[in-house]
Amino acid sequence: MNPETASHFMRSLAVPLTLTAAALAALFLPMIAGKDDARPGLAVLGAALALLAVFPASGPDSISLFSGALTLSPFTNYLWPFFLTALAFTVLLSLRARGGLPGAGEYYFLLALAALGLMLLVSAGELLTVFIAVELLSVCLYALAAINRSPAGAEAGYKYFLLGSLGTGMLVMGIALVYGTLGTLNFEAIQSALPFSHPSSLIPHPSLHPLTSTGFIFLIAGFSFKAALVPFHMWVPDVYEGAPTPVSAFMGAAVKAGGILILYRLYVLTAGSAQFREIFWGLAVVTMVLGNLMALPQQNLKRLLGYSSIAHAGYISAGFFGGSEGLKAVLYYLAVYALATMGAFAVIAAVEKDERGITVKDLDGFSGRHPWLAGAMAVFILSLAGIPPLAGFFGKFYVFTAALKAGCVWLVVIALVMSAVSVYYYLRVLTAMYMEKEHTALHARPSRAMNLALILLALAVTALGIFSAPLLRLAQAAAIF
Amino acid sequence: MPFEHLLVLSFILFALAAAGFLTHKNTIVLLMFAELMLNAANLALAAFAKLSGSPEPQIFILMIFAVAAAEAGVGLALIILLARNLKTLDIDEIRNLKG
């Protein structure tokens, strides 16, 4: 190991270890130092910011650790800071909301561990590590959804747990079948064990062993639960509505990204087979069509954002087909989508009375009393709808261009039509805020931390649209698979 | 017992668990079926361990057991919370969140 690699290795290893230490500190602080609700949050926030500062922006090409269990690569160099940033914003949104509620220590502990699970998930080099990372993430999220111990939270947590464990069951069965027929769980070894990864082989139409195909189908289904693709999306609206709003924001921004990227890995493994490409094609189409159609009649804003997150997962999966340019677009899209959805949830967190959030009708005349909050919400919603010059437009533009170059014309046509449909429900939010008369006064008292988060998010969504080059360069560097 | 029999048994167990999961209404029974799916998959891994003679799948089984136990712990806590809040174990009566 040369000195440069060794230094990168040590710094990278410090990230998960420091985050774990911060999580434990957050858990034990309230027991040692009495009930100061801000301190556990500040511990996790500080750790996330410090790690963002020390994390190397670039490193050597790829290091394999622990006999291939973890891989550090340009890919993780992009995604680890992404998840740390999402964690930092989630803590900023939670700081005041946690005041006066029980279990602040546990809350930040679980949040930090969920972020850790996501970081391990994207750096995993083999399926068993993926499984353990997914479970670390999911078990924390089940508890986080119900952390307020309210009826809505308990229902959200249980529904998430139930459908999540159905997904886990499929995942483990898929892992068993893939291991049993291929004899390995390592991604690279699986890739070279699959018949269609050797274009020069003599078999004219290489086909998979039926048990291997079944295994991959189970894996795709299991991960589709985590990424919330239709028809495995049933939990999303309920969980987004019932979970505490900062937790919903974290799910939309970060957890979604983790699920999508692990599906991308499966896509790369199976892309040599026309049948599997068709499965992914079908999932993308069904997800974007049904996600948008089901969002149309929603009244609760958190539910609406839940369905909108399903639809966005569909658009993002269109980028799978574009090769390395597609991956670049997907990485860019995930970042700008995360900023916009985090921002929209932040506005809800600033005005809501309990964790069920607000309805679109509650926003009637919102711009009169709170012009700044309404302006920020408008920026986030317009970015989600994909209106230029905001970042969301460029995300869609790059993803659809990459898919188009790969020859998926129909997929892009459907995506464009569904984007047009989605404008309807996004505009409903805007017309409520700007055109309607106020009938119920919403009292927003955003804390300083929340204001800071809102300003940063709104600036980022605007700036990354007008100047998309820096983030695109980062995504480009990370898109080597 | 030959390897094929074990594998078929695990598939039957998995199918029964999935069918039970889709038809039952009690929150605790649903948790049991979800755990049964994991055990069916573990049995498949055990069958493959028998086939290959390698100890690797047995290690996977142990790790999956540990994860399943953690998951069941959180699941039971959620069921208790739900039962306290809504005074019911029937999944059909848990529908306050609806669009």
Side-chain angles (χ1 to χ4, degrees):
Chain A
M1 215 184 247
N2 64 39
E4 190 209 357
T5 315
S7 133
H8 182 71
F9 166 71
M10 296 306 286
R11 277 191 185 184
S12 304
L13 215 56
V15 172
L17 293 178
T18 314
L19 197 57
T20 315
L24 287 172
L27 181 63
F28 291 119
L29 261 179
M31 296 180 200
I32 303 163
K35 291 215 177 350
D36 182 320
D37 280 316
R39 256 180 290 177
L42 292 179
V44 172
L45 180 64
L49 294 180
L51 290 174
L52 273 177
V54 302
F55 195 78
S58 65
D61 275 352
S62 174
I63 319 177
S64 179
L65 303 174
F66 309 116
S67 352
L70 290 182
T71 317
L72 298 173
S73 61
F75 190 62
T76 54
N77 282 346
Y78 180 82
L79 288 163
W80 283 20
F82 171 79
F83 291 132
L84 286 171
T85 315
L87 174 67
F89 273 118
T90 314
V91 173
L92 282 181
L93 298 193
S94 318
L95 275 175
R96 195 192 55 157
R98 295 309 303 168
L101 284 172
E106 290 116 77
Y107 176 81
Y108 293 110
F109 170 72
L110 291 169
L111 209 55
L113 282 196
L116 185 66
L118 279 168
M119 285 160 59
L120 293 181
L121 179 65
V122 292
S123 54
E126 44 115 29
L127 275 170
L128 194 72
T129 314
V130 167
F131 168 71
I132 290 180
V134 161
E135 284 306 291
L136 176 60
L137 167 69
S138 306
V139 169
C140 289
L141 285 175
Y142 304 150
L144 277 173
I147 195 105
N148 283 350
R149 295 171 172 80
S150 61
E155 183 176 341
Y158 182 73
K159 282 186 173 164
Y160 194 11
F161 163 75
L162 203 60
L163 291 164
S165 42
L166 185 62
T168 305
M170 294 192 178
L171 208 59
V172 178
M173 199 61 184
I175 289 176
L177 289 176
V178 167
Y179 180 82
T181 49
L182 300 178
T184 176
L185 288 181
N186 189 293
F187 283 124
E188 279 169 24
I190 290 176
Q191 182 98 63
S192 51
L194 289 175
F196 39 68
S197 55
H198 306 290
S200 59
S201 64
L202 295 172
I203 322 158
H205 295 292
S207 65
L208 284 177
H209 189 284
L211 280 182
T212 319
S213 318
T214 319
F216 274 116
I217 288 172
F218 272 128
L219 283 178
I220 292 171
F223 287 126
S224 299
F225 267 104
K226 309 291 174 190
L229 298 187
V230 177
F232 307 102
H233 66 285
M234 303 78 85
W235 56 273
V236 174
D238 289 349
V239 174
Y240 276 47
E241 183 184 345
T245 304
V247 175
S248 309
F250 185 73
M251 284 185 204
V255 179
K256 165 84 43 179
I260 294 281
L261 289 168
I262 202 69
L263 271 179
Y264 182 77
R265 219 172 242 268
L266 281 180
Y267 172 78
V268 170
L269 279 183
T270 56
S273 143
Q275 284 136 320
F276 278 99
R277 266 206 310 276
E278 273 163 29
I279 290 178
F280 276 101
W281 197 91
L283 278 175
V285 168
V286 173
T287 304
M288 57 180 108
V289 171
L290 288 181
N292 278 314
L293 290 183
M294 285 184 297
L296 290 176
Q298 297 305 324
Q299 286 305 320
N300 183 301
L301 202 52
K302 282 173 80 180
R303 269 187 108 76
L304 186 105
L305 286 174
Y307 280 113
S308 126
S309 91
I310 299 174
H312 279 277
Y315 305 141
I316 300 173
S317 357
F320 285 7
F321 301 93
S324 92
E325 187 165 342
L327 180 59
K328 174 182 107 179
V330 165
L331 289 172
Y332 177 80
Y333 196 121
L334 284 173
V336 297
Y337 170 71
L339 291 168
T341 198
M342 185 69 93
F345 276 113
V347 176
I348 298 175
V351 297
E352 67 182 356
K353 283 198 243 8
D354 59 12
E355 73 270 351
R356 298 200 45 185
I358 48 174
T359 62
V360 177
K361 239 182 157 29
D362 287 340
L363 279 178
D364 283 356
F366 188 57
S367 63
R369 197 179 288 261
H370 301 291
W372 287 104
L373 272 179
M377 188 64 159
V379 168
F380 300 134
I381 291 288
L382 287 173
S383 175
L384 285 174
I387 308 289
L390 295 168
F393 167 76
F394 292 98
K396 276 186 183 165
F397 176 74
Y398 294 130
V399 163
F400 295 164
T401 317
L404 207 55
K405 276 188 193 154
C408 299
V409 180
W410 277 109
L411 190 62
V412 174
V413 169
I414 297 170
L416 288 176
V417 170
M418 291 328 288
S419 302
V421 169
S422 78
V423 171
Y424 169 77
Y425 58 82
Y426 290 124
L427 279 187
R428 247 179 45 206
V429 177
L430 292 188
T431 46
M433 288 197 302
Y434 286 98
M435 319 284 260
E436 301 288 333
K437 267 208 204 65
E438 181 177 55
H439 54 83
T440 45
L442 281 177
H443 289 289
R445 290 177 306 276
S447 62
R448 262 179 296 173
M450 214 176 253
N451 273 330
L452 176 68
L454 276 169
I455 292 169
L456 287 177
L457 287 166
L459 282 180
V461 167
T462 322
L464 287 178
I466 301 167
F467 311 103
S468 60
L471 184 63
L472 261 184
R473 254 201 310 279
L474 288 179
Q476 169 89 58
I480 321 166
F481 221 85
Chain B
M1 195 189 269
F3 143 81
E4 290 85 1
H5 290 193
L6 266 179
L7 196 60
V8 169
L9 178 64
S10 94
F11 288 163
I12 293 174
L13 204 58
F14 191 84
L16 284 178
F21 191 90
L22 296 175
T23 50
H24 279 258
K25 301 285 175 206
N26 184 298
T27 47
I28 297 177
V29 176
L30 285 172
L31 170 73
M32 286 159 59
F33 278 120
E35 295 300 311
L36 194 58
M37 287 174 87
L38 288 183
N39 285 338
N42 272 340
L43 195 59
L45 274 174
F48 289 125
K50 198 173 158 69
L51 176 72
S52 66
S54 139
E56 228 180 342
Q58 302 179 19
I59 299 167
F60 299 162
I61 293 175
L62 282 179
M63 294 186 119
I64 291 168
F65 266 143
V67 168
E71 206 185 51
V74 172
L76 282 172
L78 285 170
I79 291 174
I80 292 173
L81 185 62
L82 202 58
R84 274 199 196 142
N85 267 307
L86 303 177
K87 310 273 179 258
T88 178
L89 286 177
D90 188 344
I91 191 89
D92 282 340
E93 288 180 29
I94 305 171
R95 46 170 182 221
N96 296 316
L97 301 175
K98 240 191 176 141

